[in-house]
Amino acid sequence: VMVSCLTNAIVPATLLGVFLLSTTVSAQVIPNRGMQAGNGNWMEIPDNASIAIPVFTVEVWVKSSSGGLIVTRDVPSGIPSDWQLWYDFSRKRLAFITAKTPPDSYFFTPDNSFLPNRWYHVALVVNGPAGRAKLYIDGTLTISPTFSSRYFSATTGLAWCGYYNNA
């Protein structure tokens, strides 16, 4: 997996992201042990009330050269509800993935909507209680998935270009 993300945060890695919150949280760069992303690191924020929110916007600049996770607040079981944004390199598209219980629900952008080795601005706007999301690529609304109501109450951290606590 090779995903580069860019933000104004000061993190010494090629993968960085922006998560828009009403409060400030601190992130740390984790040496990558399970996959290769950027220069071998990913960024994560430990679980806390500031990221355990059902209505949110996640925004990031991304340049990818292979498939993988862009940002995730995910638990393997999907219980309680979780979400992630993933790049499907084989079909050059993004997927918003969410689960309230297994199996995960995948909502894909059109094929060839996210080409490798090009910078894109991605914004994912989610309202869990209303069961709605909007995914924008370079300011253009690309998909508007609907799903059953959920509160994204997974007790896990937030991670860019990897899974939280993926040691």
Side-chain angles (χ1 to χ4, degrees), residues 79-94:
I79 303 170
S81 58
D82 59 15
W83 62 271
Q84 57 185 289
L85 183 60
W86 176 69
Y87 178 48
D88 176 6
F89 181 77
S90 67
R91 296 186 60 181
K92 315 291 187 275
R93 63 185 181 173
L94 297 178

Side-chain angles (χ1 to χ4, degrees), residues 10-159:
I10 302 171
V11 179
T14 59
L15 54 124
L16 305 173
V18 176
F19 192 65
L20 303 179
L21 300 169
S22 59
T23 59
T24 303
V25 294
S26 60
Q28 60 180 334
V29 174
I30 307 299
N32 188 335
R33 297 175 193 96
M35 61 185 215
Q36 185 172 0
N39 65 356
N41 301 316
W42 73 88
M43 188 173 72
E44 64 182 35
I45 298 171
D47 189 37
N48 66 75
S50 295
I51 65 170
I53 51 179
V55 178
F56 62 88
T57 296
V58 64
E59 182 178 358
V60 66
W61 281 93
V62 180
K63 179 182 179 185
S64 64
S65 58
S66 67
L69 292 167
I70 295 173
V71 61
T72 182
R73 190 160 175 355
D74 183 61
V75 292
S77 68
I79 303 170
S81 58
D82 59 15
W83 62 271
Q84 57 185 289
L85 183 60
W86 176 69
Y87 178 48
D88 176 6
F89 181 77
S90 67
R91 296 186 60 181
K92 315 291 187 275
R93 63 185 181 173
L94 297 178
F96 168 61
I97 305 167
T98 184
K100 189 172 183 179
T101 59
D104 288 347
S105 297
Y106 287 71
F107 302 97
F108 291 100
T109 63
D111 287 359
N112 298 309
S113 60
F114 204 82
L115 302 175
N117 300 311
R118 177 178 169 219
W119 284 103
Y120 289 94
H121 178 261
V122 177
L124 175 64
V125 180
V126 180
N127 185 326
R132 294 189 321 258
K134 293 182 180 188
L135 180 69
Y136 296 86
I137 299 175
D138 288 338
T140 300
L141 179 60
T142 308
I143 58 172
S144 297
T146 59
F147 46 87
S148 61
S149 177
R150 61 201 64 196
Y151 286 84
F152 301 111
S153 51
T155 53
T156 185
L158 177 71

